[in-house]
């Protein structure tokens, strides 16, 4: 198992374009989280899935953001009509079922730059 | 979300112990105390967690005050690779991790 995988690692896009990021969690981890991190700040929670169900969304997740986890395995985070303020590191994390462990495993993130 | 307070930064020397404090005066009985660290250009990494008793693992030790209103992460012998931002988080398992600003630890050679 290679851990949580995020692709791409880096993305540069023009303002107004749509972007999509992918997260492959550790196998058999039923919980999946998305976070956003800007320079000098701690990660900010965006959304949480348990299996394919999206159980919680932050107020930070505006209507331009959408996340899916269609079969309870990988997840995608799409940002439509990107703005310069969307420039950040987008982190994905996964966790095993609660009965096993509460530890979260993070990927290395996707760094988005909107120009 | 329950709140923690940590110093913004700390500095230590290589091969010396490091004690990273965290205050969580509003902790509830079901909150676990989790510590994560984030190395430069990496995602956060789990370090240790505990509920009431002190805990040890291969990375660190966690000392929890008797009233649970504070805790200390102890790195027994710091190396340059321990330079990172350390986050103290109160967590109930079924919720998301809520990160604060953390403590930026600098290790001097």
């Amino acid at each position: 198992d290679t851990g949580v995988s995020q692709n791409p690692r880096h993305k540069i896009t023009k303002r107004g374009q749509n972007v999509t990021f992918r997260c492959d969690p550790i196998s058999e981890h039923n919980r999946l989280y998305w976070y956003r991190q800007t320079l000098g700040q701690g990660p900010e929670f965006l959304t949480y899935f348990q299996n394919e169900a999206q159980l919680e969304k932050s107020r930070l997740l505006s209507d331009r953001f959408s996340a899916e986890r269609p079969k309870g395995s990988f997840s995608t985070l799409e940002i439509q009509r990107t703005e310069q303020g969307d420039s950040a590191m987008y982190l994905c994390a996964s966790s095993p079922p609660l009965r096993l462990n509460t530890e979260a495993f993070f990927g290395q993130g996707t760094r988005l730059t909107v120009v | 979300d329950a709140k923690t307070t940590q110093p913004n930064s700390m500095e230590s020397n290589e091969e010396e112990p490091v004690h990273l404090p965290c205050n969580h005066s509003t902790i509830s009985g079901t909150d676990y105390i989790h510590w994560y660290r984030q190395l430069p250009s990496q995602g956060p990494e789990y370090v240790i967690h505990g509920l009431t008793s002190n805990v040890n693992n291969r990375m660190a030790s966690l000392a929890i005050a008797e009233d649970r209103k504070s805790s200390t992460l102890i790195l027994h012998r710091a190396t340059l690779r321990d330079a990172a931002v350390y986050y103290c988080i109160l967590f109930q398992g079924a919720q998301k991790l809520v990160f604060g600003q953390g403590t930026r630890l600098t290790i001097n050679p």
Side-chain angles (χ1 to χ4, degrees), chain A residues 61-115:
Chain A
L61 216 65
S62 74
D63 56 5
R64 296 186 298 106
F65 288 70
S66 62
E68 293 182 342
R69 194 181 183 198
K71 296 182 180 178
S73 56
F74 73 91
S75 176
T76 57
L77 178 68
E78 181 183 16
I79 309 174
Q80 297 182 325
R81 305 182 303 282
T82 52
E83 302 172 355
Q84 286 190 322
D86 297 331
S87 295
M89 175 75 82
Y90 290 84
L91 293 161
C92 176
S94 70
S95 291
L98 270 178
R99 67 181 184 278
L100 296 179
N101 202 340
T102 58
E103 178 183 343
F105 296 79
F106 283 79
Q108 295 199 323
T110 294
R111 182 168 295 284
L112 173 66
T113 303
V114 181
V115 297

Side-chain angles (χ1 to χ4, degrees), chain B:
Chain B
D1 298 317
K3 188 170 174 58
T4 62
T5 305
Q6 299 177 252
N8 288 334
S9 63
M10 289 185 65
E11 199 168 327
S12 186
N13 298 319
E14 199 174 11
E15 299 188 3
E16 289 183 356
V18 180
H19 291 234
L20 295 164
C22 181
N23 288 319
H24 29 78
S25 58
T26 59
I27 191 170
S28 74
T30 53
D31 284 328
Y32 283 78
I33 302 158
H34 280 238
W35 284 82
Y36 281 73
R37 72 178 185 181
Q38 189 170 21
L39 303 172
S41 302
Q42 302 286 321
E45 172 188 35
Y46 168 83
V47 177
I48 200 166
H49 78 276
L51 183 62
T52 55
S53 304
N54 295 345
V55 184
N56 300 298
N57 67 18
R58 64 174 179 81
M59 290 180 71
S61 296
L62 176 60
I64 301 172
E66 198 168 332
D67 64 5
R68 299 210 326 125
K69 293 186 177 181
S70 65
S71 61
T72 302
L73 179 71
I74 303 165
L75 306 179
H76 293 285
R77 202 160 166 262
T79 70
L80 295 177
R81 289 177 296 178
D82 291 321
V85 179
Y86 287 78
Y87 298 98
C88 169
I89 301 169
L90 300 183
F91 185 55
Q92 292 188 2
Q95 303 169 346
K96 73 274 189 183
L97 292 165
V98 178
F99 290 82
Q101 297 281 71
T103 297
R104 181 173 299 278
L105 176 64
T106 301
I107 304 295
N108 300 315

